[in-house]
Amino acid sequence: MRSDVPAAVLAAPVRPIGPRLVLQYVAVVVAALLFVTPLVYAFFSALKPNDQIFAVPPTLIGSEVRWGNFVEVFRHGPFLTYISNSLVIAVAGTLVVLVVSTTAGYAFGRLRWSGRDLVFGLFLLTLMVPQEVLVVPMFQLMQWFGWVNTPQSLVLPFAFTAFGTFLMRQFFRGIPFELEEAARVDGAGPMRTFLQIILPLSRSAVAVLTVFTFIGFWNSYLWPLIVVNDYAYLGTLPIGLATFSGQFGTRWDLQMAASIIAMIPTALIVILLQKHLVKGIATAGIAGR
Amino acid sequence: MTSISVAEAAPRRRGRGELGKAESRQALGFITPALAGLTVFTVVPVVLSVAMSLFDWPAWGDREFIGFGNYVDLFTSHPDFWPALRNSAVFTLLFVPLNLVVSLGLALLLGPRIRGRAAFRVLFFIPVVTPMVANVLVWRMLLQPNGLFNGVTTAAFDLTLPSFLNHPQWAMVMVVIMSVWQGMGYNMLIFCAAIEQLPESVLEAARIDGARGAQMFFRVTLPLLSPAVFFTTVMTMISSMQVFAQPQLLTGGGPGNATLPMVMFIYEQAFTFQQMGLAAAAAWVLFAVIIGLTALQFRAQRRWVHYEV
């Protein structure tokens, strides 16, 4: 329609580098430096001899660089157990969330049945119930089930939130209906259409849900604190870290090394999958419009 | 993304009653796991929680129905309840505005002309996803009497800072600052997305009309961003009323109970003092407060949120 207008006019004008842009850069860099200072300082503190961490004036590098602190952490607490527990629970929890959310999302987003919208409304209503209302009765429930201090008590109770179902349903609704119709005409049942058509088309949404769910389980703190009482057996990384800090409160070198180790997995996930995540959060935010 | 929604496609498939019934049965199959799970792990606990709040319900031992006794106890005689509610409120009042100003400011700074802004965004987002326990331990080290902050001011200006975590007001301020550092990256990403969606035509028209600087920001950009500001305000407020891990690990709720918020109160009543009924009642009070505040925000939004354009 406007093909006669040169592209350069439609695009934003190319502005020269002015003092404003320089100031903007300075502000960004200063903000970023202030922001990373705690993390960088924690990393270098993890490499110091313990008695130099609170030296005045503070230094970045102590009298020696002790990479061994990162190994010594594993000798002071069952950190390998914590890490493997966290990993197993996060993977199992994520699998449950994915199965439950995609199947329910499919029923709400693609199938037609009476009462669907009412049931969906009730589902969304459960999103309003905050965790702190649930944890007290949930612990009572775990006692009745005999599930206190069991792996399933860390996986199942918070794997059925309606959030994943909502996310999947929204995404599934956007997939053209004809694709499914064609498969149905060819005699494919809903299970086959779900597995072979809808799920493959929803890879990006499934990826976002996977990552957020995994991070949620990996970082979960309040519920494991309540339901686990044998940390050497079932302690997760956040719990282990908090216990470690209680037991070795004066060994700041080891606390920092352990903290850095705990941060690495999720930080890496975010750095590697940044595009997916940024898009997922942007979608969530814009849904607020 | 929305091409043909199910609702629009529906009429084509009417009049196939048999198939419709089959589809209902299939839907039931797909929804059963979620329905069963939500019933056992959300509906049952909610009902149970209401019941528990009406009982003297120790973790072990005899339970006794006491009607609204727990609620009366909380409001009239429990020494830690009002301070806990006050602490949650103070935290929210400090945290929400600071979080929004910092996250919106950063999102605006990271404009399209900044090279490597994607990397900066990820950087600011990292503490949102790293374990809270680890984040807090780092700050606990920094805030020790001889930690980095005090070390720098002592060495550079011969200035001794207060012992942050042992001072009632400073402890709260530090819990807030630590929480802003940790959590603002999330809102920043939402604002970045909202800024990218700003209608260029409106901005250009404002520029042609001579809007500049502060005027441009407060009269044009901010109103255009008001839906995102509203969304982040409500979500941030809800989560900050539920703050737990930061004060629990940074200050232990102290000194005294100066930084002990509601969720920590609930946790301690239930699992330290074994008063499960009282804790359940406190959780419902907190829930009511959150619902009330959210409803207020939704009423107020008519005055300042602009959905047109």
mmCIF file of all heavy atoms in Angstrom, chain B residues 254-278:
data_model
loop_
_atom_site.group_PDB
_atom_site.id
_atom_site.type_symbol
_atom_site.label_atom_id
_atom_site.label_comp_id
_atom_site.label_asym_id
_atom_site.label_seq_id
_atom_site.Cartn_x
_atom_site.Cartn_y
_atom_site.Cartn_z
ATOM 1 N N GLY B 254 14.312 -11.241 63.260
ATOM 2 C CA GLY B 254 14.748 -10.313 64.296
ATOM 3 C C GLY B 254 15.341 -9.030 63.758
ATOM 4 O O GLY B 254 15.243 -8.798 62.558
ATOM 5 N N PRO B 255 15.906 -8.194 64.590
ATOM 6 C CA PRO B 255 16.034 -8.411 66.041
ATOM 7 C C PRO B 255 14.669 -8.362 66.741
ATOM 8 O O PRO B 255 13.817 -7.591 66.331
ATOM 9 C CB PRO B 255 16.914 -7.241 66.486
ATOM 10 C CG PRO B 255 16.709 -6.202 65.453
ATOM 11 C CD PRO B 255 16.471 -6.912 64.162
ATOM 12 N N GLY B 256 14.489 -9.166 67.764
ATOM 13 C CA GLY B 256 13.164 -9.319 68.374
ATOM 14 C C GLY B 256 12.235 -9.921 67.338
ATOM 15 O O GLY B 256 12.535 -10.969 66.778
ATOM 16 N N ASN B 257 11.121 -9.227 67.036
ATOM 17 C CA ASN B 257 10.299 -9.666 65.922
ATOM 18 C C ASN B 257 10.145 -8.555 64.896
ATOM 19 O O ASN B 257 9.134 -8.448 64.217
ATOM 20 C CB ASN B 257 8.940 -10.181 66.409
ATOM 21 C CG ASN B 257 8.191 -9.113 67.201
ATOM 22 O OD1 ASN B 257 8.609 -7.951 67.221
ATOM 23 N ND2 ASN B 257 7.100 -9.508 67.827
ATOM 24 N N ALA B 258 11.186 -7.733 64.764
ATOM 25 C CA ALA B 258 11.105 -6.532 63.931
ATOM 26 C C ALA B 258 10.949 -6.845 62.446
ATOM 27 O O ALA B 258 10.478 -6.004 61.685
ATOM 28 C CB ALA B 258 12.341 -5.660 64.145
ATOM 29 N N THR B 259 11.387 -8.017 62.011
ATOM 30 C CA THR B 259 11.256 -8.341 60.581
ATOM 31 C C THR B 259 10.523 -9.659 60.396
ATOM 32 O O THR B 259 10.683 -10.316 59.377
ATOM 33 C CB THR B 259 12.636 -8.423 59.899
ATOM 34 O OG1 THR B 259 13.436 -9.370 60.613
ATOM 35 C CG2 THR B 259 13.331 -7.096 59.883
ATOM 36 N N LEU B 260 9.708 -10.043 61.371
ATOM 37 C CA LEU B 260 8.991 -11.315 61.287
ATOM 38 C C LEU B 260 7.655 -11.108 60.578
ATOM 39 O O LEU B 260 6.741 -10.525 61.155
ATOM 40 C CB LEU B 260 8.784 -11.873 62.698
ATOM 41 C CG LEU B 260 8.398 -13.341 62.819
ATOM 42 C CD1 LEU B 260 8.975 -13.924 64.084
ATOM 43 C CD2 LEU B 260 6.892 -13.538 62.798
ATOM 44 N N PRO B 261 7.523 -11.542 59.310
ATOM 45 C CA PRO B 261 6.293 -11.287 58.559
ATOM 46 C C PRO B 261 5.252 -12.377 58.797
ATOM 47 O O PRO B 261 5.524 -13.369 59.485
ATOM 48 C CB PRO B 261 6.772 -11.303 57.113
ATOM 49 C CG PRO B 261 7.878 -12.295 57.133
ATOM 50 C CD PRO B 261 8.514 -12.238 58.494
ATOM 51 N N MET B 262 4.077 -12.197 58.188
ATOM 52 C CA MET B 262 2.944 -13.089 58.419
ATOM 53 C C MET B 262 3.238 -14.553 58.106
ATOM 54 O O MET B 262 2.905 -15.447 58.880
ATOM 55 C CB MET B 262 1.732 -12.632 57.596
ATOM 56 C CG MET B 262 0.874 -11.611 58.288
ATOM 57 S SD MET B 262 0.200 -12.186 59.858
ATOM 58 C CE MET B 262 -1.133 -13.226 59.285
ATOM 59 N N VAL B 263 3.855 -14.828 56.957
ATOM 60 C CA VAL B 263 4.049 -16.231 56.589
ATOM 61 C C VAL B 263 5.000 -16.907 57.571
ATOM 62 O O VAL B 263 4.835 -18.074 57.928
ATOM 63 C CB VAL B 263 4.553 -16.357 55.139
ATOM 64 C CG1 VAL B 263 4.852 -17.809 54.803
ATOM 65 C CG2 VAL B 263 3.501 -15.826 54.179
ATOM 66 N N MET B 264 5.978 -16.144 58.073
ATOM 67 C CA MET B 264 6.879 -16.712 59.059
ATOM 68 C C MET B 264 6.139 -16.948 60.370
ATOM 69 O O MET B 264 6.382 -17.956 61.058
ATOM 70 C CB MET B 264 8.059 -15.758 59.272
ATOM 71 C CG MET B 264 9.285 -16.449 59.807
ATOM 72 S SD MET B 264 10.685 -15.327 59.781
ATOM 73 C CE MET B 264 11.570 -15.980 61.178
ATOM 74 N N PHE B 265 5.228 -16.041 60.698
ATOM 75 C CA PHE B 265 4.374 -16.230 61.882
ATOM 76 C C PHE B 265 3.570 -17.522 61.740
ATOM 77 O O PHE B 265 3.529 -18.348 62.662
ATOM 78 C CB PHE B 265 3.445 -15.016 62.028
ATOM 79 C CG PHE B 265 2.418 -15.159 63.117
ATOM 80 C CD1 PHE B 265 2.737 -14.903 64.446
ATOM 81 C CD2 PHE B 265 1.119 -15.549 62.819
ATOM 82 C CE1 PHE B 265 1.794 -15.039 65.449
ATOM 83 C CE2 PHE B 265 0.164 -15.695 63.818
ATOM 84 C CZ PHE B 265 0.500 -15.432 65.135
ATOM 85 N N ILE B 266 2.953 -17.708 60.577
ATOM 86 C CA ILE B 266 2.157 -18.920 60.325
ATOM 87 C C ILE B 266 3.031 -20.159 60.455
ATOM 88 O O ILE B 266 2.680 -21.130 61.131
ATOM 89 C CB ILE B 266 1.508 -18.849 58.927
ATOM 90 C CG1 ILE B 266 0.490 -17.711 58.869
ATOM 91 C CG2 ILE B 266 0.865 -20.180 58.543
ATOM 92 C CD1 ILE B 266 0.041 -17.357 57.468
ATOM 93 N N TYR B 267 4.199 -20.096 59.822
ATOM 94 C CA TYR B 267 5.129 -21.228 59.863
ATOM 95 C C TYR B 267 5.525 -21.566 61.307
ATOM 96 O O TYR B 267 5.493 -22.725 61.715
ATOM 97 C CB TYR B 267 6.359 -20.897 59.010
ATOM 98 C CG TYR B 267 7.480 -21.901 59.138
ATOM 99 C CD1 TYR B 267 7.458 -23.102 58.434
ATOM 100 C CD2 TYR B 267 8.563 -21.654 59.985
ATOM 101 C CE1 TYR B 267 8.463 -24.035 58.559
ATOM 102 C CE2 TYR B 267 9.580 -22.578 60.125
ATOM 103 C CZ TYR B 267 9.530 -23.754 59.415
ATOM 104 O OH TYR B 267 10.534 -24.683 59.551
ATOM 105 N N GLU B 268 5.858 -20.539 62.056
ATOM 106 C CA GLU B 268 6.307 -20.792 63.433
ATOM 107 C C GLU B 268 5.179 -21.316 64.311
ATOM 108 O O GLU B 268 5.380 -22.242 65.106
ATOM 109 C CB GLU B 268 6.903 -19.515 64.040
ATOM 110 C CG GLU B 268 8.244 -19.156 63.422
ATOM 111 C CD GLU B 268 9.018 -18.170 64.272
ATOM 112 O OE1 GLU B 268 8.399 -17.472 65.098
ATOM 113 O OE2 GLU B 268 10.248 -18.106 64.100
ATOM 114 N N GLN B 269 3.980 -20.724 64.183
ATOM 115 C CA GLN B 269 2.866 -21.206 64.994
ATOM 116 C C GLN B 269 2.585 -22.673 64.693
ATOM 117 O O GLN B 269 2.365 -23.466 65.597
ATOM 118 C CB GLN B 269 1.598 -20.361 64.734
ATOM 119 C CG GLN B 269 1.693 -18.931 65.220
ATOM 120 C CD GLN B 269 2.092 -18.838 66.690
ATOM 121 O OE1 GLN B 269 1.585 -19.563 67.529
ATOM 122 N NE2 GLN B 269 3.026 -17.937 66.992
ATOM 123 N N ALA B 270 2.600 -23.034 63.400
ATOM 124 C CA ALA B 270 2.226 -24.387 63.016
ATOM 125 C C ALA B 270 3.319 -25.393 63.353
ATOM 126 O O ALA B 270 3.038 -26.454 63.893
ATOM 127 C CB ALA B 270 1.897 -24.446 61.528
ATOM 128 N N PHE B 271 4.568 -25.057 63.032
ATOM 129 C CA PHE B 271 5.590 -26.099 63.043
ATOM 130 C C PHE B 271 6.628 -25.940 64.150
ATOM 131 O O PHE B 271 7.397 -26.842 64.405
ATOM 132 C CB PHE B 271 6.253 -26.186 61.668
ATOM 133 C CG PHE B 271 5.242 -26.437 60.586
ATOM 134 C CD1 PHE B 271 4.902 -25.436 59.682
ATOM 135 C CD2 PHE B 271 4.591 -27.657 60.497
ATOM 136 C CE1 PHE B 271 3.952 -25.665 58.706
ATOM 137 C CE2 PHE B 271 3.635 -27.891 59.527
ATOM 138 C CZ PHE B 271 3.312 -26.897 58.626
ATOM 139 N N THR B 272 6.650 -24.791 64.819
ATOM 140 C CA THR B 272 7.509 -24.671 65.992
ATOM 141 C C THR B 272 6.671 -24.853 67.258
ATOM 142 O O THR B 272 7.039 -25.599 68.151
ATOM 143 C CB THR B 272 8.212 -23.295 66.020
ATOM 144 O OG1 THR B 272 8.840 -23.087 64.752
ATOM 145 C CG2 THR B 272 9.273 -23.253 67.104
ATOM 146 N N PHE B 273 5.504 -24.158 67.293
ATOM 147 C CA PHE B 273 4.673 -24.223 68.494
ATOM 148 C C PHE B 273 3.527 -25.230 68.357
ATOM 149 O O PHE B 273 2.711 -25.340 69.266
ATOM 150 C CB PHE B 273 4.136 -22.830 68.827
ATOM 151 C CG PHE B 273 5.229 -21.806 68.993
ATOM 152 C CD1 PHE B 273 5.341 -20.733 68.124
ATOM 153 C CD2 PHE B 273 6.163 -21.935 70.013
ATOM 154 C CE1 PHE B 273 6.360 -19.800 68.265
ATOM 155 C CE2 PHE B 273 7.176 -21.010 70.159
ATOM 156 C CZ PHE B 273 7.286 -19.940 69.281
ATOM 157 N N GLN B 274 3.442 -25.914 67.229
ATOM 158 C CA GLN B 274 2.450 -26.983 67.006
ATOM 159 C C GLN B 274 1.014 -26.487 67.121
ATOM 160 O O GLN B 274 0.121 -27.266 67.412
ATOM 161 C CB GLN B 274 2.661 -28.150 67.996
ATOM 162 C CG GLN B 274 4.084 -28.499 68.300
ATOM 163 C CD GLN B 274 4.781 -29.149 67.114
ATOM 164 O OE1 GLN B 274 4.151 -29.508 66.123
ATOM 165 N NE2 GLN B 274 6.081 -29.315 67.182
ATOM 166 N N GLN B 275 0.768 -25.194 66.925
ATOM 167 C CA GLN B 275 -0.599 -24.671 66.978
ATOM 168 C C GLN B 275 -1.166 -24.623 65.569
ATOM 169 O O GLN B 275 -1.303 -23.548 64.982
ATOM 170 C CB GLN B 275 -0.593 -23.256 67.570
ATOM 171 C CG GLN B 275 0.047 -23.169 68.919
ATOM 172 C CD GLN B 275 -1.020 -23.089 69.989
ATOM 173 O OE1 GLN B 275 -2.118 -23.617 69.813
ATOM 174 N NE2 GLN B 275 -0.705 -22.438 71.093
ATOM 175 N N MET B 276 -1.525 -25.766 65.027
ATOM 176 C CA MET B 276 -1.938 -25.832 63.626
ATOM 177 C C MET B 276 -3.233 -25.057 63.372
ATOM 178 O O MET B 276 -3.409 -24.445 62.332
ATOM 179 C CB MET B 276 -2.123 -27.295 63.221
ATOM 180 C CG MET B 276 -0.945 -28.182 63.557
ATOM 181 S SD MET B 276 0.268 -28.277 62.257
ATOM 182 C CE MET B 276 -0.525 -29.407 61.155
ATOM 183 N N GLY B 277 -4.173 -25.111 64.344
ATOM 184 C CA GLY B 277 -5.440 -24.408 64.167
ATOM 185 C C GLY B 277 -5.232 -22.903 64.110
ATOM 186 O O GLY B 277 -5.765 -22.217 63.237
ATOM 187 N N LEU B 278 -4.418 -22.403 65.029
ATOM 188 C CA LEU B 278 -4.121 -20.973 65.061
ATOM 189 C C LEU B 278 -3.430 -20.542 63.767
ATOM 190 O O LEU B 278 -3.741 -19.496 63.184
ATOM 191 C CB LEU B 278 -3.222 -20.673 66.266
ATOM 192 C CG LEU B 278 -3.065 -19.201 66.601
ATOM 193 C CD1 LEU B 278 -4.303 -18.690 67.305
ATOM 194 C CD2 LEU B 278 -1.835 -18.985 67.474
#
